[in-house]
Amino acid sequence: MIMHAGEILKRRGLISEEQLAQSRSSDSNSVVQAAITLGYVAESDALKALAEEVGLDYVDLRETEIDPAALEGFPQKLIYRQSLFPLRFEHDSIVVATSDPLDLYPLDEASAATGKNIIPVVAERDEIARLMNRNLGVGSETVEGLMAAKSEEEVELLEGIETDGSELSEMAQEASVVRLVNEILLEAIQTRASDIHIETQSNGLSIRYRIDGILHLQPTPPEINRFQAAIISRLKIMARLNIAEKRLPQDGRIKLRVHGREVDIRLSVIPMIHGEGMVMRVLDKSSMVFDLGQLGMNSQIYNTFSEIIKYPHGIVLVTGPTGSGKTTTLYSSLLQIKSPKTKIITTEDPVEYQLDGINQIQVHSKIGLTFAASLRSILRHDPDIVLVGEIRDLETAENAIQASLTGHLVFSTLHTNDAAGAFTRMSDMGVEPFLVAGTVEAVLAQRLLRRLCPNCKEAFTPTNQDAPKDFPWDKLGDQPIYRSVGCRECRNVGYTGRMGIYELLVANDEIRQLALERKSSWEIRKEAVKAGMRTLRMDAWDKVVTGDTSVDEVLRVTKGEGL
């Protein structure tokens, strides 16, 4: 945020340093709200201090007259989700009450939606909620008012849906539920969320969006809780799942068109103690650009990797945890080497994006079409390059090695913490060490770091307290580095978008010998660094020095070097 609310309260003597630390460590998304809940400060005192800090008026809504005309045309989803309430007109402006004077994004959104200037005033959250109930009512009308009716037109299903005629399926088809689900999906796409988490808790429904790798709680009105079963059922119907089955996990897919853009959503439902939990992976085809040169690789890694992916045979592995951008790197690699002279076949689970000029196979384990089985068949189709979505077991690993030994270039992924771990991981699967040593040409480990928002990042000169011992002080010189602040453009997060950090291990004679002798990943890693490999941590520090990310982000994503 532009100003940290907790620091303001501490500076004004409303809370102590210890109370600030305890408020930050609480489960609440807001430090101020946590301090209020823990009883360290009265809400009125906290809001008065924050209002005075930013030059706004604090108002007592119990003594404030409300102009009903101000409600007309004001977006109700902002009233419910952002706890804004329009109080009255003032010339060509609208006076709007908010309980978070440091969050300016909703006020900008209200200004854009109404076409009028917004004059914010600060009021207690409970008083704003009281005005909502008194002026808008509770119940189905409230939830219907939350959704803009246009969301039905903005979200278009590309596949027909089927219902079984049951009471639950009929409830899931009600207009208010359809609008609510569409609004959840629409907002996730507009905020660039990669995943939507819908969780049933003991106190109701929780909706969170994962944006740039971090989960953000989505505010929802309490009335939404009675639509919990209908929301889950509506999404299951859209994904063509069995809505009556609530005891077993289910996976499905939803194809949408949003504002003319095709969006695929992979959906997974798991039964939990308070009901079904649902996670949706959002794949926005139009926003994806598969360009190896735009992924954040430094010139040395890019040039070396670009040469490796042109090898005539061998295995090239990309490693990292789920959501680290492995698929994007592999697709970008394939598109860079694609030509009419080469045949490329992939086997994936699932096929996330369809690529022109590349033959893609969707794995179906239930009918026996596994990675290993499909790979055996692929080799009969005379490919030059093969992509195996993931090496999960010995059979797949052996088939991939066999493909490389018979003159094919094989790309695949592994789940390991670093590049060196790929050799020991394959040996642990049961692959003979001499086969691993002889076929693996290179391993690219990667992670994703959030980019600092270019509009608000703040330059500062670091001290030993700001950065750990392995920070490259020798590269810094007199130039400053940057830290996150927060502004309207980045929704007060301080970051916008992500980039990759990479660790490229190229197999040389020494590394192949270590793999043959089944040496530890630590020894292989040490030899790779000696041969010139830059680790994930080193690559991340380079991006701090160039001002692309922050020290905090590097510490969040990578661990210290043990070499």
Side-chain angles (χ1 to χ4, degrees):
M1 299 180 69
I2 295 174
M3 285 168 286
H4 297 285
E7 294 289 346
I8 294 171
L9 298 187
K10 189 189 78 156
R11 194 176 72 242
R12 289 173 170 261
L14 294 175
I15 59 175
S16 66
E17 180 69 44
E18 182 183 353
Q19 290 172 335
L20 175 59
Q22 289 177 345
S23 300
R24 282 175 171 161
S25 63
S26 75
D27 292 334
S28 175
N29 281 347
S30 164
V31 174
V32 174
Q33 198 58 47
I36 293 167
T37 303
L38 292 169
Y40 298 150
V41 63
E43 183 177 12
S44 58
D45 292 338
L47 292 178
K48 284 175 185 176
L50 296 178
E52 187 177 331
E53 187 77 23
V54 295
L56 298 181
D57 291 333
Y58 173 84
V59 297
D60 185 345
L61 293 182
R62 288 166 293 193
E63 301 173 0
T64 303
E65 288 293 325
I66 307 301
D67 181 1
L71 272 171
E72 294 180 17
F74 196 88
Q76 290 196 13
K77 72 174 184 179
L78 289 179
I79 294 177
Y80 285 104
R81 293 193 171 180
Q82 306 293 353
S83 287
L84 300 182
F85 199 90
L87 302 179
R88 63 183 180 276
F89 289 109
E90 204 166 278
H91 304 298
D92 289 333
S93 304
I94 305 178
V95 177
V96 176
T98 175
S99 61
D100 189 350
L102 302 187
D103 189 359
L104 302 176
Y105 183 82
L107 300 171
D108 289 344
E109 202 173 346
S111 179
T114 59
K116 295 183 179 295
N117 185 44
I118 301 296
I119 301 174
V121 294
V122 183
E124 293 182 30
R125 183 180 292 270
D126 287 347
E127 289 304 311
I128 293 176
R130 184 179 59 81
L131 284 184
M132 291 180 197
N133 290 340
R134 193 176 73 194
N135 290 273
L136 298 172
V138 294
S140 61
E141 295 82 11
T142 301
V143 176
E144 282 203 53
L146 170 65
M147 276 65 66
K150 65 179 180 178
S151 67
E152 277 186 290
E153 302 166 11
E154 293 175 335
V155 178
E156 175 191 353
L157 270 173
L158 296 182
E159 295 179 339
I161 60 175
E162 299 175 3
T163 60
D164 57 10
S166 65
E167 183 180 348
L168 191 56
S169 69
E170 292 302 315
M171 187 189 305
Q173 298 299 96
E174 289 181 5
S176 58
V177 176
V178 171
R179 288 177 192 164
L180 177 53
V181 169
N182 286 353
E183 185 70 19
I184 291 170
L185 298 175
L186 192 61
E187 190 147 342
I189 293 163
Q190 289 173 342
T191 56
R192 301 179 298 104
S194 61
D195 300 87
I196 307 168
H197 292 240
I198 299 179
E199 299 155 336
T200 48
Q201 309 286 355
S202 58
N203 57 349
L205 201 66
S206 166
I207 299 176
R208 295 189 288 173
Y209 295 158
R210 189 178 293 280
I211 303 171
D212 292 335
I214 304 295
L215 280 171
H216 298 267
L217 185 65
Q218 183 68 17
T220 53
E223 292 80 22
I224 205 174
N225 291 330
R226 62 191 183 89
F227 287 84
Q228 179 175 305
I231 291 169
I232 298 290
S233 296
R234 169 64 183 171
L235 287 164
K236 287 167 78 172
I237 288 171
M238 292 170 73
R240 306 171 77 86
L241 300 179
N242 181 1
I243 65 170
E245 180 56 77
K246 299 182 181 181
R247 302 163 301 167
L248 296 172
Q250 296 187 71
D251 295 316
R253 196 165 193 163
I254 303 171
K255 292 187 176 183
L256 304 173
R257 183 177 286 115
V258 179
H259 298 306
R261 294 151 49 190
E262 284 194 20
V263 178
D264 272 9
I265 295 176
R266 281 164 35 197
L267 180 148
S268 176
V269 190
I270 296 180
M272 297 183 180
I273 57 173
H274 296 296
E276 290 176 289
M278 183 175 286
V279 175
M280 290 172 277
R281 169 65 59 89
V282 181
L283 304 170
D284 187 351
K285 297 179 179 180
S286 63
S287 68
M288 289 303 300
V289 178
F290 298 113
D291 184 347
L292 202 59
Q294 301 298 316
L295 300 183
M297 292 182 184
N298 66 41
S299 57
Q300 180 185 349
I301 290 178
Y302 173 74
N303 292 332
T304 305
F305 191 67
S306 294
E307 289 301 317
I308 290 168
I309 63 178
K310 295 175 186 174
Y311 282 6
H313 55 79
I315 296 177
V316 178
L317 297 172
V318 179
T319 76
T322 302
S324 61
K326 299 189 298 295
T327 300
T328 300
T329 299
L330 287 171
Y331 280 178
S332 300
S333 303
L334 293 181
L335 290 176
Q336 180 155 312
I337 59 178
K338 181 187 77 170
S339 80
K341 297 179 182 178
T342 57
K343 179 162 185 174
I344 303 174
I345 305 180
T346 75
T347 174
E348 305 169 60
D349 183 22
V351 174
E352 294 190 1
Y353 296 95
Q354 296 175 22
L355 307 176
D356 292 334
I358 293 175
N359 304 283
Q360 295 170 276
I361 298 171
Q362 169 71 58
V363 166
H364 288 288
S365 300
K366 291 181 180 177
I367 60 171
L369 185 60
T370 61
F371 281 125
S374 60
L375 186 50
R376 284 196 300 271
S377 299
I378 283 172
L379 297 181
R380 302 189 195 108
H381 276 246
D382 188 29
D384 298 290
I385 299 162
V386 176
L387 166 64
V388 183
E390 183 184 343
I391 295 178
R392 296 176 178 171
D393 51 42
L394 175 59
E395 187 182 6
T396 306
E398 288 179 335
N399 286 345
I401 286 172
Q402 189 61 38
S404 74
L405 291 172
T406 53
H408 303 86
L409 181 61
V410 180
F411 291 91
S412 191
T413 68
L414 274 178
H415 289 290
T416 61
N417 290 326
D418 58 15
F423 291 91
T424 53
R425 177 79 182 93
M426 290 187 71
S427 295
D428 289 343
M429 284 182 184
V431 180
E432 290 291 344
F434 74 90
L435 290 174
V436 178
T439 55
V440 176
E441 297 292 343
V443 185
L444 182 74
Q446 67 179 78
R447 298 288 189 279
L448 292 177
L449 285 180
R450 291 184 293 171
R451 286 183 187 272
L452 282 167
C453 173
N455 298 294
C456 65
K457 64 181 182 180
E458 178 182 76
F460 77 106
T461 302
T463 65
N464 290 331
Q465 286 73 38
D466 298 316
K469 293 179 181 177
D470 65 333
F471 183 85
W473 297 101
D474 55 317
K475 289 188 175 183
L476 196 58
D478 296 329
Q479 72 183 83
I481 61 173
Y482 293 84
R483 57 189 169 197
S484 63
V485 179
C487 66
R488 304 182 192 190
E489 297 298 322
C490 62
R491 298 193 173 204
N492 290 323
V493 175
Y495 300 90
T496 175
R498 288 188 290 177
M499 61 185 168
I501 54 172
Y502 300 92
E503 174 179 291
L504 179 60
L505 188 159
V506 182
N508 58 22
D509 291 343
E510 290 76 14
I511 288 171
R512 293 188 195 279
Q513 185 62 37
L514 291 173
L516 180 63
E517 296 171 2
R518 297 198 70 161
K519 296 294 185 180
S520 68
S521 61
W522 179 82
E523 290 176 277
I524 294 173
R525 174 186 174 87
K526 192 173 181 180
E527 180 60 41
V529 171
K530 182 180 173 183
M533 181 185 82
R534 293 189 59 75
T535 65
L536 288 167
R537 181 86 158 193
M538 294 174 186
D539 195 32
W541 285 136
D542 288 346
K543 289 173 170 59
V544 172
V545 172
T546 56
D548 292 316
T549 192
S550 67
V551 172
D552 289 343
E553 189 66 3
V554 173
L555 297 179
R556 182 182 72 85
V557 174
T558 67
K559 69 174 187 175
E561 301 293 349
L563 294 169

